[in-house]
Amino acid sequence: MKFLTTALILLIAFGISAGAQTDTLVIKLKNNQIEKNAVSKIKQIKFENVTSVNDLTPIPSGLTLNENYPNPFQEQTNIEFEIASVGDVEVIIYDNLGNQIQKLECTNCRIGKNSLQWNCTDKNNHRVENGVYYYEVRFNNEMQSKKMILIK
């Protein structure tokens, strides 16, 4: 067994490939070489002078963004989200070029599931063209976004 003494751990991947589970430890060495080892064959790893470790553990979120419905849609769509505490939520809608076309707000939204409705209009209350749009939901210091499609 080869001991890796000066390594930077990039990723531990636990995935399923072709019906079989693959457990692989991927390590980037100081000389930029990549070392891959089957986790099942590792008996001991000793690290010295580790420069960083990327934590892949998800951070608990106060915001959960669900898919809008219906999607695709013709006249209106509901943008559904869940929040862990009472607060203000902004939903910003962008066109396919990244231009902000509408902003929806929920002041003092309640804990749990909430929904805001977009009626396919821009800031000037004009109906927007068919196409792909993106919505970004902001709550506290969090932001999540998804894609939606407006059709005739």
Side-chain angles (χ1 to χ4, degrees):
M1 175 80 193
K2 179 175 165 183
F3 291 102
L4 307 171
T5 58
T6 53
L8 171 64
I9 298 177
L10 290 180
L11 173 67
I12 297 176
F14 296 97
I16 297 177
S17 174
Q21 181 167 341
T22 59
D23 298 335
T24 305
L25 174 64
V26 179
I27 301 172
K28 182 178 179 184
L29 301 173
K30 276 189 171 180
N31 62 5
N32 287 327
Q33 289 183 328
I34 301 294
E35 187 79 35
K36 295 182 181 180
N37 296 294
V39 171
S40 60
K41 294 183 179 182
I42 297 173
K43 294 182 179 156
Q44 178 182 10
I45 300 176
K46 180 180 176 184
F47 296 100
E48 295 174 6
N49 303 320
V50 175
T51 57
S52 70
V53 175
N54 293 340
D55 186 3
L56 299 178
T57 306
I59 298 170
S61 175
L63 171 66
T64 302
L65 179 57
N66 301 320
E67 296 293 331
N68 65 299
Y69 63 91
N71 191 24
F73 57 98
Q74 294 178 337
E75 298 296 321
Q76 62 192 23
T77 189
N78 296 298
I79 298 170
E80 190 174 278
F81 54 90
E82 296 178 45
I83 55 177
S85 60
V86 174
D88 298 336
V89 176
E90 293 180 339
V91 176
I92 302 171
I93 300 171
Y94 299 93
D95 64 15
N96 205 26
L97 298 174
N99 301 310
Q100 181 179 333
I101 59 165
Q102 185 61 277
K103 182 177 178 180
L104 309 173
E105 296 178 302
C106 179
T107 304
N108 290 320
C109 276
R110 67 183 184 276
I111 294 173
K113 194 177 284 188
N114 292 275
S115 179
L116 290 173
Q117 189 175 79
W118 181 46
N119 62 359
C120 308
T121 59
D122 63 15
K123 295 177 195 176
N124 299 317
N125 209 28
H126 297 116
R127 181 165 168 86
V128 297
E129 298 291 322
N130 295 342
V132 175
Y133 292 88
Y134 299 88
Y135 57 101
E136 177 180 275
V137 178
R138 297 178 181 178
F139 174 69
N140 290 337
N141 293 324
E142 297 183 56
M143 184 275 297
Q144 295 180 24
S145 61
K146 293 197 184 268
K147 178 171 68 172
M148 58 186 167
I149 302 172
L150 171 60
I151 59 174
K152 279 191 177 185

